[in-house]
Amino acid sequence: MKVRYRNLSVKDPILKAELMDAVSRVLDHGYLLLGPELDELERAVAKACNRKFAVGVSSGSEALAISMRALGIGPGDEVITTAFSWIATANSIAVIGATPVFVDITENYLIDPDLIEAAITPNTKAILPVQYTGQICDMDKIQSIAQKHGLFVIEDGAQAYGATQNGKVCGSFGVASCFSANPMKVFNAYGEAGLITMDDEKLYEQAKILRYAGTVNKTDCIVPALNGRMDTLQAAMMLVSLKRIPQKIENRRRIAEHYRERLSAVVSCPVELPGNNHIYYAYSILAEKRDELQKFLADKGIETQILHPVPMPHQTAYSKDGKISVPVAERVAASILALPNQEDMTDEEINYVCDCVLEFYA
Ligand SMILES: *Cc1c(COP(=O)(O)O)cnc(C)c1O
């Protein structure tokens, strides 16, 4: 048997037909950029996230960079974020000229809120928590620290669309929330795309300016900015994806439950924190002899991924002045392994993965 980590080909004929219809409608009306489907998507996402506004952009990275620039964050400013995420999180801070300040995580892969205050300096402007693997950080604690010190909270929800905490949905926390809809993500486009949600109208207007060459309605450029628009074709296909998210999350949670039941005796399975509804963008375990396990599974036809092998502050770009110590992130990076958990996995495939992991440790 072969089990792919992700197989992005569209196998469901009904989904494929809906996508083709969506594409066909856009090709017929011809508004390929900032077209009506983008407006519709923005309205739908704002509503789903309990926000006044959403702005579609060209990627999750752009969503983060545009949000921070729209808040006036730039050179000389520091933004506190987690040590453990996809590198786009740190890069979005660095490319706007600000400095990422990395804080270690806890064993559940999320930023450790108890370490945030010690990282605050007079230059700190914002805290950027990442809802990593699809679970929401301790937002009550993070918001109260931010409030106390007068900092913005910008949520990196790239992996967590649809996740909730005490009834509040990802995309509703902080002054702005950012999503990626690249094809790997649970809320996916069929190419690059991203979204920002917010309540503040000025921030909304500023984000729209920054995604469109810094112009107000294409006439006057008021700030230098690149092109970060989402194309209408992606928006149209995302409207099709959007309807399927509840079912996808349900399937992923079922896969997670299945893995937890069968594997928690031999590996450390992800823990769902109280009040949280984890969407399992990744089902990341901590495994002894991780590299050997990964090779053993590969020989059995099972693809896994190490998300992520190097903590962000230890990447070359961020360790030029020496490596800061992030002991938990380092320990996690050395034993983390994401098992296949695409929502259309069959029970047979899930059991096969479990059998092989158990065989390895036996
Ligand atoms: C995917 C991802 C991003 C970047 O999104 P892109 O659309 O690939 O630019 C940012 N942060 C996190 C946590 C991500 O997983």
Side-chain angles (χ1 to χ4, degrees), residues 58-62 64 85-89 130-132 156-159 179-182 185 192-194 281 308:
S58 54
S59 70
S61 306
E62 276 296 341
L64 289 163
S85 178
W86 168 231
I87 198 64
T89 303
V130 178
Q131 321 299 25
Y132 195 66
D156 182 345
Q159 303 187 355
F179 293 110
S180 163
N182 84 33
K185 307 286 154 88
E192 308 281 4
Y281 163 71
H308 292 277

Side-chain angles (χ1 to χ4, degrees), residues 58-78:
S58 54
S59 70
S61 306
E62 276 296 341
L64 289 163
I66 287 175
S67 302
M68 284 183 275
R69 273 195 83 188
L71 289 164
I73 298 170
D77 297 333
E78 293 173 2

Side-chain angles (χ1 to χ4, degrees), residues 51-55 171 175-177 196-200 203-204 207:
R51 293 284 206 182
K52 291 209 179 90
F53 307 105
V55 176
V175 64
S177 305
I196 311 166
T197 60
M198 70 282 273
D199 288 312
D200 185 84
L203 183 60
Y204 169 62

